[in-house]
Amino acid sequence: MVDLTRRSLMATSVAAAVGAGMSGVASADVEETDTVGAPSVRGELKRFASTSLGAEVTGPFVFENDNTLLFSHQHPSRDNPENWSRGGIGYVSGFNFTLDGSNDDFSELSVPTTADEQSRVRVGNGEYVFLARQEDPIDGGSEQLGVPETPDGNPIDRYAGSRYTEPGYTPDCNQFIPTNEDATEGYLFTNFETSPGNVTRIPISKTDDGEWESNLDDAINLANTDGLRSLGGTRINCGGNRTPYGTYVSSEEEYAHPRTSYASTVSGTLEAGSGEGKRGAAHFWNRPNPAEIPSKEYVTWYPQGAFALSGVELAAYYLGADAIDQEGPGQSTWDVDTPSGIDARANGTAVEVDETNTRDPIGEGYPNRYRYGYQLEIRDPAAETPTPVKHYVMGRAAWEMPSFQPDNQTVYELSDGDNKAIYKFVADQPLDEYDDPMQVSGTLYAAKVTNDAASAADAGQRNSPANTNLELEWLPLGNATNAEIESWIAEYDDITQVDYLETHADTDWEEDLDAAIEEADKEVIANGNQNYITDQEIADWATQYEERGPDGVDEELRRVPFLETNAAAKEIGASADFNKAEGIDSIDDAQPGDFVYFGISEFNDSLADDVSDVQLDRVDGGLVYRGELGPNYDISRLEPAIVGPDSTDSAAISDDALLNVDNVHVMDDGRVLCCEDADQLGRSYPNDCLYVYQPSVMVDVESKAVGYGATGTANVYAKSLPAGFSGAQVTITVSNPEVATITGVEFPDALGLTESSISDDGSTAMLRFADTDRNVQAGGHNVTVASLTLRGDSTGTTDLNVSVNQMDDESGKAIDAEARSGVLVTGPPTVTGASAPTDPDGDGLYEDVNGNGRLDYEDIQLLFSNFDSDSVTMNKSAYDFNENGGLDFDDIVSLYEEVN
């Protein structure tokens, strides 16, 4: 692999297949070519399940009690046999993962070839059994699974209006919250991806014969509880996850949030003097019949996210707005008489739905667009009525899913759709320590890709994403509390469709509605929707951000990055290049050194253009990246783990490759469940599949910094060991022994037999060890196999290179392992490129930064100018002048005070 950051990665088990054949989808203005390494896998990929026609595999979850797999059967074709024509949630009966890190625990499923195989769910082992299906009677028969209702109890799908999807048809994320010690009983929380959105809570339990069963009589739609309705309800609930402290989090995939379409920016729109060709769906939120905006002849482009404007009127009726142009509340679209309000479709009876949207403006009760697009936490999950909390501090986007880290402070987030960024939220204190969740505070960050190798322009050529890591810098957007942001949101609560017309058109809409709508549309296209945060406010925020930093902007502008997150990220140069970032997860108790997996469904459009931060070859089949967690749960690099096929690849290649990855779920042994939302490309079959990814074993030495003449310890790790290992022989080499040498080796007590030898010049250590007592077993974490003692002999930097000479598993089978190099920095190294820093008073702190033998103002200036450089950050003990154990700007102030 390409060495990008002084830490090379040598892949010894990458299987690459490159083929040509069927042409694919052209979604970027870049010539379609065969991409090197597409498809490829760092490890093994094995098909476990295939869906019925039209359906996705979503919401994969593995029960901790028995390692049973559960997943959703989302939006299947209505042409499937009855049992497979409705959305549902089910588990795999008769099979349990062994969680030993190996894919040997199941048989690989063949591709579906016959009409029967393609019209149902198939699994490699066991049988898929439904626990609940679309519109099943729940809550004592008073409601239907997944169907929101108006405040007076009418099912929302009985009203005329555009549909985002059918209620109950699109179950997505699933998470089980146990209520007993054995985790055999508890609540299954499931998202429903529609508008208005929904989350259901279903009691489930494990029977004496090892099966799982649901109690639908006691299941509830959280959408119909007062708590969720008081938040404005929810929309397009897609992925989600559990927090480390045992609550459920549902992600709102608010696709209608873009202010500008695709690569356009607010500042570019202002500069152009018009939003034609640039406006996104957000500007048309409160337009009468917003979903029709793309069909108007004066809209010459597709406003990004406009498809998600459908269902907004139904969300208004859900909140209690008076129904417009309805034959009667809850009556206009149904011509059936069913008991207890239960939809006849639950019994397989097709009923015509009126999707006509009214153009008469809706007034009081219209939903506030700033109340959607957040991470929704369900606190008190086992209470009679759980408590919903929207974490406004985590930003507003088309969230696919979050990954909460075990520090209870760090959350990684992916936003679905074109030209979206990757985000990180860091709470000011652990989330479970806030007595009032509205007081949760923290900093929201957006990622910027910084390395030259990711840019075709900088690298002089277009590189393959299969061979290119992405180096990340995290740009802080702002810091606030949930309560502060909610108060900003509340300022927009009374905006209605009437306001759209009366703000943007002089024509009296009551006299000529069509003319008023057209006049308002054209004004909004030109100058933006003035009912919400304006373009100028976003531009002003960005200007002040650049001048003063995120904490120095005017108070009235602090709301911008939290309510218009994607637009703000674009304005300050974050890499809003990612396309369909749809899956993110890590092992539940992740530690520094473990991986977070990022699923990017398609690698094209802005990821493969000639102007964005990322300019690589396109892979329409998408990628799965992995990011290694640092000491503070930080991620600074994404490296490709799975690369999908090219659109030019033949069925022989695409049939067995991961295609358009969606949800990912990391099991306790480090394997990754990968779900597809496929465009099919050149495949011979039309079904989506679920694959299990077994990462390749990695042997890794950690990077370290040691002082000149001092010693330090660097651990050697093995990762992703399947079923443990019997032994190995590994060689560690210091590339520049003039900088540092190896002086000693120690092994953990868990290893039964160990042996090491160090070369006379200290440049090489040979390590041999055997796990005679079978103490080292599989798991998602690093396993320490040795510790090296390293001495800094001169200032400088040297690589620590790893060679895996031999590694065997517990059956004696050879393991093909990847070797990952580390970096050793000794010093402190030269900051200026001339003289090395010195420690004038012998206190271990290198106050003489420029190495001229005295303290002066140049020392302060050099430290300030190089504060983020490796020469400083990897030697914090040398520059920690305030002696608080870390590096911060007070160290510069402390040095300034000492010079004075």
Side-chain angles (χ1 to χ4, degrees), residues 719-742:
K719 298 183 181 183
S720 305
L721 290 168
F725 72 105
S726 58
Q729 179 173 312
V730 176
T731 301
I732 312 293
T733 304
V734 178
S735 65
N736 186 352
E738 293 183 0
V739 171
T741 52
I742 303 171

Side-chain angles (χ1 to χ4, degrees), residues 67 97-105 587 589 591 594 666-671 694-698 718-726 751 771 773-785 807-810 815:
N67 306 330
F97 287 112
T98 59
L99 297 190
D100 63 358
S102 171
N103 275 350
D104 292 339
D105 56 355
I587 193 169
D589 58 344
Q591 304 164 5
D594 293 335
V666 182
M667 296 193 288
D668 286 346
D669 63 353
R671 286 184 292 168
Q694 177 187 330
S696 56
V697 174
M698 288 167 280
K719 298 183 181 183
S720 305
L721 290 168
F725 72 105
S726 58
L751 293 174
D771 183 22
D773 295 326
R774 304 295 195 216
N775 289 324
V776 179
Q777 293 301 307
H781 298 307
N782 292 337
V783 175
T784 301
V785 295
M807 179 176 282
D808 301 325
D809 66 19
E810 290 185 344
I815 296 174

Side-chain angles (χ1 to χ4, degrees), residues 47-58 71-77 80 84 109-112 114-123 128 675-678 680 683 685-690:
R47 186 186 304 103
F48 181 82
S50 64
T51 61
S52 68
L53 286 170
E56 287 182 56
V57 181
T58 55
F71 58 85
S72 294
H73 178 240
Q74 189 186 77
H75 61 63
S77 169
N80 291 333
W84 306 107
L109 184 70
S110 62
V111 301
T114 67
D116 173 68
E117 290 177 337
Q118 292 179 358
S119 64
R120 59 184 174 89
V121 175
R122 302 163 61 237
V123 291
Y128 185 74
C675 303
E676 293 181 324
D677 180 9
Q680 308 309 331
R683 274 187 175 171
Y685 59 91
N687 307 75
D688 289 345
C689 298
L690 180 148

